[in-house]
Amino acid sequence: MAMKESVSIVIPIYNEEESIPELYKALKPVMESTDRPYELVFIDDGSTDATMEKLNELGKKDDTVVVVSFRRNFGQTAAMAAGFKYATGDVVITMDADLQNDPEDIPMLLEKIKDCDVVSGWRKDRQDAALSRKLPSFIANRLISWVTGVKLHDYGCTLKAYRKDVVKNIRLYGEMHRFIPALASWVGAKIIEVPTRHHARRWGQSKYGISRTIRVVLDLITVKFLQSFSTRPIHAFGPAGLLLGFFGFLFGAILSYEKIILGHDIGGRPLLLLSVLLIILGFQLIILGLLGEMLARIYHESQDKPVFYVKSITKGGKATEGETP
Ligand code: UDP
Ligand code: MG
């Protein structure tokens, strides 16, 4: 019989002292019931309350508890990245520490991930403030779906399950953890979305407000740009550069004709200013694209980053790497 797949639960925590004992109490029986090897990876993101004491208490009495402690607050995304680094399970599940996600959903996630690479939770009945949280989040989700082409209702839900190789191969910056499904999908992973439970926060308070939406939108621009143009930045800047440059030269030619052939005075013509502006902008965009091309080469070559992702390689019909076809 095949070995049972192991599970790592990754939980970023910032000042959640009241929630931790409750979370542990709810999580432990669920994990026991899955009948698989598991570990609970708690990442203390520089908490200033009694979070660390609570976590150490758990660690002392329970061998499945792993505690990663940050020197200061680096943010939820960094905490998740640390969790991914130290997790050893075949399946990695992320969730919030504040019990807004329900550990009871874990068995269902484990069931679903059997035939895909990412299972993404959807807080269908979300228990947060409508105007300051749900509305901006609704708009952000629509925008992300549209821009990334990966259709999910709820990118922001932390409760998600991943196959190990998905999280081990992704680097996270900024608020990027919500884009993991999109990043994974772009390299060929199979994603499904399932409705999950959601509860109102009982202790402490949310660490975020509306300002996060703005940061998420900026991250979206970065992610989209990297996806579309990281191997060909001149294709992003070049067309605009050529277009602007073309019109710049065109207007310049018209004015030159008027000046040289017709002998008109062109000193006071606004078109002259526009023409010069367009020519300079056009040049600069092309140069920006070329600089990007150089950066792209440095980026890919220095880190040995592939420009493609291989599913399997066969020799004489036999798989030498990856899946058997
Ligand atoms: N969190 C974190 N570092 C931070 C902010 C939050 O590790 O800088 C954790 C927090 O403790 C919680 C999760 O990230 O476990 C989600 O945060 P929160 O509940 O405040 O977000 P919301 O549910 O309101 O979107
Ligand atoms: Mg929360």
Side-chain angles (χ1 to χ4, degrees):
M1 200 186 86
M3 279 264 286
K4 284 219 167 76
E5 282 188 317
S6 56
V7 185
S8 298
I9 309 288
V10 165
I11 309 176
I13 307 179
Y14 181 53
N15 291 347
E16 311 275 5
E17 54 182 5
E18 302 100 329
S19 305
I20 292 165
E22 295 295 321
L23 172 69
Y24 180 77
K25 228 164 56 194
L27 197 53
K28 193 71 185 171
V30 173
M31 293 318 293
E32 287 295 328
S33 75
T34 61
D35 196 26
R36 296 171 184 232
Y38 68 90
E39 63 182 355
L40 309 177
V41 185
F42 295 97
I43 301 93
D44 166 47
D45 184 12
S47 298
T48 50
D49 64 357
T51 292
M52 257 330 268
E53 282 96 88
K54 298 272 160 107
L55 290 178
N56 285 333
E57 259 169 51
L58 298 179
K60 271 193 205 117
K61 64 173 190 203
D62 186 342
D63 276 346
T64 64
V65 171
V66 179
V67 179
V68 179
S69 166
F70 278 2
R71 285 187 185 274
R72 66 166 173 84
N73 180 245
F74 285 96
Q76 191 185 353
T77 300
M80 257 182 215
F84 295 156
K85 178 171 177 193
Y86 296 107
T88 59
D90 299 309
V91 174
V92 176
I93 295 183
T94 52
M95 66 185 293
D96 284 346
D98 55 7
L99 279 165
Q100 288 200 272
N101 299 134
D102 197 325
E104 299 281 343
D105 282 325
I106 290 175
M108 183 264 298
L109 293 180
L110 289 174
E111 195 52 42
K112 298 273 180 195
I113 197 135
K114 281 182 179 157
D115 40 36
C116 64
D117 304 295
V118 179
V119 182
S120 188
W122 168 19
R123 297 165 289 181
K124 212 168 175 176
D125 184 21
R126 184 169 169 185
Q127 304 295 322
D128 277 322
L131 206 62
S132 64
R133 302 299 304 276
K134 287 206 276 195
L135 181 67
S137 156
F138 174 79
I139 298 170
N141 281 316
R142 280 302 175 85
L143 196 65
I144 298 174
S145 279
W146 176 61
V147 173
T148 63
V150 180
K151 306 285 176 223
L152 296 181
H153 293 91
D154 189 2
Y155 282 87
C157 179
T158 316
L159 189 60
K160 292 189 172 89
Y162 309 93
R163 302 226 138 262
K164 178 169 71 183
D165 41 328
V166 171
V167 295
K168 294 286 180 193
N169 289 320
I170 276 176
R171 294 241 177 284
L172 296 175
Y173 304 90
E175 286 282 330
M176 300 250 174
H177 63 86
R178 73 193 55 246
F179 297 114
I180 302 175
L183 297 169
S185 157
W186 290 337
V187 301
K190 187 176 166 203
I191 324 271
I192 56 173
E193 186 174 46
V194 292
T196 52
R197 284 165 264 216
H198 194 248
H199 307 291
R201 207 181 230 281
R202 274 190 285 169
W203 299 277
Q205 47 187 324
S206 174
K207 312 292 181 286
Y208 301 106
I210 197 160
S211 68
R212 179 166 61 172
T213 315
I214 296 163
R215 282 178 277 145
V216 166
V217 169
L218 290 172
D219 282 346
L220 175 65
I221 297 175
T222 312
V223 164
K224 180 64 188 171
F225 177 77
L226 288 178
Q227 180 228 355
S228 311
F229 298 114
S230 75
T231 58
R232 49 198 165 112
I234 194 141
H235 293 190
F237 298 107
L242 288 179
L243 196 72
L244 296 188
F246 170 77
F247 280 105
F249 278 111
L250 186 69
F251 298 154
I254 294 171
L255 289 174
S256 302
Y257 172 79
E258 290 191 18
K259 170 82 190 167
I260 298 164
I261 309 293
L262 307 180
H264 294 168
D265 189 10
I266 60 167
R269 299 285 294 277
L271 199 61
L272 183 61
L273 208 61
L274 184 65
S275 159
V276 173
L277 187 72
L278 289 178
I279 290 173
I280 294 176
L281 267 181
F283 264 113
Q284 292 206 320
L285 282 172
I286 301 276
I287 288 167
L288 212 58
L290 289 173
L291 275 177
E293 288 288 324
M294 288 171 69
L295 284 177
R297 279 158 184 71
I298 295 171
Y299 174 77
H300 285 277
E301 286 162 25
S302 67
Q303 299 182 40
D304 224 357
K305 273 207 187 298
V307 290
F308 51 78
Y309 294 85
V310 171
K311 190 169 175 192
S312 66
I313 300 173
T314 62
K315 195 174 175 186
K318 287 201 189 68
T320 57
E321 207 173 287
E323 316 169 359
T324 326

